Amino acid sequence: MSTSVESFADLGLSESLLKTLSEIGYETPSPIQAQCIPILLDGHDILGMAQTGTGKTAAFALPLMEQIDLKVAKPQALILTPTRELAIQVAEALQSYAKNLPGFHVLPIYGGQSYTIQLKQLARGAHVIVGTPGRVMDHLERKTLNLDNLKTLVLDEADEMLRMGFIDDVEWILEHTPEQHQTALFSATMPEQIRRVAQKYLVEPREIKIKSATATVAAIRQVYWQVSGLHKLDALTRILEVEDEFDAAIIFVRTKTATVELADKLNARGYAAAALNGDLNQQMRERVIEQLKSGALDIVIATDVAARGIDVPRISHVVNYDIPYDTEAYVHRIGRTGRAGRTGNAILFVAPREIRMLRTIERATRQPIAPLTLPSRADVTNKRVAGFKEKVAEVLNAEGLEFFANIVSQLCEEQNVGPEEVAAALAMMAQEGKPLQIAGEDPVPPRPMRESRGDDRRPAFGERKPRFEERGERPRFEDRGERSERPRFEDRPPRADRPPRPAPAGDMVRYRIDVGREHGVEVRDIVGAIANEAGIESRFIGRIGLYEESSTVELPAGMPAEAANALKRTRIRGVPINLRQDEGRPTGSFGGERKFGGGERKFDGERNFKKKKFDR
Ligand code: AMP
């Protein structure tokens, strides 16, 4: 770890939050937490360069929670996020940190969710609002959200908000919040526009940047698996089973709770595994390491701190089950293998949203990390069969087989079958409890992740399960169910990074909406509203015609009813859009401006519109 802060208690957090952190299994602050928490507790503004996976949510959430007056049921903190998924995740994180704060209420509000529900929830009162810019702006305009009591404003993933075209909304919100509040702006990158926003709205901000120190790693084979299609646990056991050089492994997770859970699950699958975390006293810790050395244990599941300094030459594999917070932690972790002149293997599990961290690690270690193809069912079966044959071959060379050969002859005679059939029956008996073939399907391999086109973006709607689903928990916020039924549109990078492209292929249907230029609406407002409310990525939004009183927009045929319903209820600039299929010809003068791919394309009137047909 790149920080000397060893404990959350050193950061100035209250007893109740410290208790919660210990209960949820956070042992030590991540580097960004160690840096941000004291600064925010001191009341300063922060400009933080940090990406997903660094622990930034807790870095801003914990200090802002310290400032909440629970007796005042009014929004005292507002967190803006680019997507509804992130809004929900952040709200969930806050809810989990509020375990020992009775009456604490956090509310996620985002496009696509019914206004009726949101209005009810807002009226009930919430201490913290986590929302997407468009919807927050809407509520502020309608005066259904009042920020008079605001103490903290957080802009999370600001560059992503910029990329998605929400920066004007964000600035509008910043303009409409009371002067006196603390502001924290987090962004993985710091493009000029974000810097400008920071200069304009942050007061003497402290700049926080997690250093990614370059380091060289020993000759360790480094690979990553893109988490997709299979639970991490199943992937882990498949990989461990076919890895040729497997002898012993150390598996890194983030929380002490996770060390215990994973150890239990691996034990249940027949592995000799144990947890190693900060709850173990020195004697117990030494015992675990001794057992790993002697071979009584093959796998140890550890947190960063607990695994420091472990030197066990037989560790052939380090698995980063949860990605580390920074490159330094990565280098420390993988340094547990490849010791005493042996070869080492480091396997990293990377969720799509963590791709940026993967690239940062590669840059810092100056070594590429190769993608690992998940072993197929056939691979695992072949490996098991090979192992089985080896065992049989050993026994074939052993003494004292006559007695059994005699039994086989008797069986052949009595059952009137050949020796192969008897051998097959015996083989079947022998695999009981540990079948040679694994059940289930092979997952479809994921599309490769590319950084340059921004694939670490938040996924499109429906692409990623929110964390509560990954954890197998039930949603805590009322109307989450709707999200999983949303259309799943193809993977694609965010707008600003993509080249202009032709209109989407496939059948399109033209719709009319009751907002136009006279309402101050621009093309990007329409794209933003549709993207946010119906979860349709802008790629799938066809031509848009912007007229005086109304506009037309082409959307993919076969839009799910739910998305259509969401759009029927949508307002743009406060005006109900009243989406319906468009039968007639466009009316009014056209002077639309289509913003796309980070650039602008201007269309100058009806003639151009007809000729170009809103060519994108
Ligand atoms: P974030 O970067 O905020 O999205 O956090 C990434 C993950 O790290 C989440 O699953 C958090 O629950 C987890 N996490 C954050 N801080 C800590 C910590 N100090 N100890 C253990 N896990 C943490």
Side-chain angles (χ1 to χ4, degrees):
M1 307 276 277
S2 58
T3 173
S4 55
V5 178
E6 292 285 312
S7 111
F8 280 106
D10 298 337
L11 301 179
L13 293 168
S14 65
E15 280 306 316
S16 72
L17 280 185
L18 292 177
K19 181 164 173 268
T20 306
L21 294 174
S22 161
E23 284 167 4
I24 61 177
Y26 288 12
E27 279 184 339
T28 45
S30 73
I32 188 133
Q33 291 162 3
Q35 289 193 55
C36 285
I37 292 174
I39 294 175
L40 287 172
L41 285 177
D42 272 352
H44 300 286
D45 283 4
I46 272 193
L47 178 59
M49 247 177 102
Q51 58 214 30
T52 302
T54 51
K56 73 174 151 57
T57 313
F60 64 72
L62 299 171
L64 77 80
M65 290 172 71
E66 291 287 9
Q67 300 194 45
I68 301 291
D69 182 350
L70 290 174
K71 294 192 289 298
V72 179
K74 294 192 173 140
Q76 296 163 53
L78 170 66
I79 302 165
L80 292 178
T81 66
T83 62
R84 71 187 91 197
E85 284 82 8
L86 186 57
I88 290 167
Q89 283 180 12
V90 169
E92 280 180 354
L94 265 89
Q95 198 67 64
S96 69
Y97 303 144
K99 229 170 140 211
N100 294 303
L101 295 179
F104 175 87
H105 196 185
V106 51
L107 179 64
I109 55 173
Y110 44 84
Q113 189 190 32
S114 115
Y115 273 98
T116 326
I117 292 174
Q118 278 177 6
L119 291 175
K120 241 190 247 162
Q121 290 173 329
L122 282 165
R124 228 181 281 151
H127 300 106
V128 180
I129 305 289
V130 190
T132 48
R135 190 53 72 98
V136 167
M137 192 171 137
D138 254 13
H139 280 292
L140 286 173
E141 275 184 327
R142 293 163 164 229
K143 308 225 176 311
T144 41
L145 173 61
N146 180 326
L147 296 179
D148 287 349
N149 292 66
L150 193 77
K151 292 176 183 159
T152 316
L153 176 62
V154 179
L155 309 180
D156 194 11
E157 301 202 349
D159 50 352
E160 204 61 19
M161 294 202 263
L162 172 72
R163 246 203 286 246
M164 293 175 74
F166 297 145
I167 202 70
D168 291 348
D169 294 354
V170 170
E171 284 204 54
W172 187 95
I173 294 166
L174 285 163
E175 294 285 348
H176 289 79
T177 40
E179 291 244 316
Q180 286 302 320
H181 64 78
Q182 183 179 32
T183 311
L185 187 159
F186 289 93
S187 199
T189 57
M190 223 26 99
E192 193 39 47
Q193 275 159 291
I194 298 296
R195 256 198 197 279
R196 189 184 52 73
V197 168
Q199 267 159 12
K200 194 164 165 197
Y201 298 98
L202 269 55
V203 182
E204 294 176 20
R206 304 289 157 95
E207 291 203 23
I208 301 291
K209 192 174 172 184
I210 297 303
K211 292 190 293 294
S212 43
T214 47
T216 40
V217 287
I220 294 170
R221 166 183 157 251
Q222 296 178 67
V223 291
Y224 76 88
W225 174 61
Q226 182 183 336
V227 177
S228 149
L230 205 65
H231 193 278
K232 278 191 193 180
L233 176 65
D234 293 321
L236 174 70
T237 51
R238 272 198 197 192
I239 292 169
L240 291 184
E241 234 184 290
V242 303
E243 281 286 303
D244 279 333
E245 292 165 2
F246 183 76
D247 189 2
I250 180 151
I251 298 176
F252 284 94
V253 292
R254 289 208 157 163
T255 62
K256 51 191 175 189
T257 334
T259 61
V260 177
E261 279 171 13
L262 191 53
D264 288 348
K265 285 183 183 148
L266 288 171
N267 280 323
R269 292 185 182 211
Y271 290 93
L276 188 70
N277 61 43
D279 281 353
L280 268 54
N281 63 29
Q282 190 55 21
Q283 200 189 349
M284 287 151 85
R285 183 174 181 274
E286 277 165 17
R287 193 157 162 256
V288 170
I289 297 170
E290 225 18 78
Q291 286 177 322
L292 189 63
K293 268 189 188 148
S294 71
L297 282 175
D298 290 329
I299 299 179
V300 163
I301 303 97
T303 52
D304 287 296
V305 176
R308 254 183 225 167
I310 290 184
D311 185 5
V312 177
R314 71 178 277 261
I315 295 175
S316 57
H317 285 73
V318 164
V319 181
N320 289 281
Y321 196 80
D322 291 336
I323 199 163
Y325 300 119
D326 58 13
T327 49
E328 241 175 293
Y330 178 80
V331 173
H332 276 289
R333 285 179 175 190
I334 72 168
R336 304 304 108 218
T337 181
R339 297 184 86 83
R342 303 190 194 197
T343 36
N345 299 275
I347 298 168
L348 175 63
F349 283 4
V350 185
R353 69 200 159 84
E354 292 161 346
I355 182 75
R356 202 189 289 268
M357 180 61 91
L358 165 70
R359 300 300 175 219
T360 309
I361 293 170
E362 282 183 316
R363 268 194 300 276
T365 56
R366 299 204 194 90
Q367 280 183 28
I369 303 180
L372 173 82
T373 310
L374 195 69
S376 65
R377 288 169 57 214
D379 293 335
V380 177
T381 302
N382 290 344
K383 184 85 184 183
R384 288 183 186 176
V385 169
F388 179 71
K389 282 182 183 167
E390 232 171 77
K391 271 194 206 147
V392 175
E394 265 173 41
V395 181
L396 280 175
N397 291 328
E399 307 264 305
L401 280 183
E402 299 79 19
F403 173 76
F404 299 98
N406 202 12
I407 298 178
V408 172
S409 303
Q410 285 173 19
L411 272 168
C412 290
E413 231 166 77
E414 286 160 19
Q415 301 298 322
N416 197 22
V417 290
E420 278 99 2
E421 280 155 292
V422 176
L426 291 170
M428 200 164 167
M429 279 166 68
Q431 62 137 34
E432 253 167 39
K434 175 118 201 210
L436 292 175
Q437 290 158 298
I438 53 171
E441 293 296 314
D442 278 331
V444 182
R447 293 165 53 135
M449 301 186 283
R450 299 165 304 262
E451 182 197 31
S452 58
R453 298 181 66 201
D455 294 75
D456 57 328
R457 68 187 168 79
R458 294 272 156 188
F461 201 70
E463 223 176 289
R464 175 172 49 135
K465 286 187 174 170
R467 284 181 194 162
F468 65 84
E469 277 181 43
E470 282 171 6
R471 294 194 304 256
E473 290 170 12
R474 287 176 59 75
R476 275 194 297 267
F477 295 106
E478 276 172 30
D479 60 343
R480 300 240 180 102
E482 69 182 66
R483 291 169 309 110
S484 51
E485 290 145 30
R486 296 254 167 191
R488 184 187 164 115
F489 290 104
E490 216 189 305
D491 197 20
R492 92 172 248 94
R495 271 194 243 167
D497 286 356
R498 3 183 249 254
R501 55 176 70 234
D507 288 346
M508 301 294 279
V509 175
R510 189 163 70 167
Y511 294 89
R512 183 162 290 274
I513 52 178
D514 285 349
V515 285
R517 283 156 49 79
E518 72 172 25
H519 304 103
V521 166
E522 292 175 14
V523 169
R524 68 200 171 104
D525 297 328
I526 298 173
V527 174
I530 291 170
N532 237 342
E533 303 285 323
I536 300 176
E537 284 208 50
S538 60
R539 174 190 190 181
F540 300 94
I541 302 172
R543 297 162 210 156
I544 290 179
L546 190 58
Y547 306 96
E548 276 310 306
E549 299 156 16
S550 67
S551 305
T552 55
V553 52
E554 288 184 354
L555 297 173
M559 178 169 34
E562 193 193 65
N565 284 336
L567 284 176
K568 276 187 196 134
R569 295 190 303 266
T570 298
R571 285 164 179 261
I572 299 179
R573 305 234 163 214
V575 182
I577 65 170
N578 186 25
L579 179 102
R580 63 213 178 269
Q581 216 160 310
D582 184 46
E583 249 74 66
R585 284 180 46 75
T587 52
S589 70
F590 170 69
E593 187 178 87
R594 185 82 168 100
K595 274 199 177 175
F596 195 73
E600 284 181 10
R601 303 193 152 196
K602 297 215 186 253
F603 297 91
D604 54 2
E606 186 76 13
R607 194 180 58 83
N608 198 348
F609 161 52
K610 272 194 191 141
K611 199 169 91 221
K612 282 199 167 180
K613 295 207 102 189
F614 288 85
D615 184 14
R616 297 160 51 177

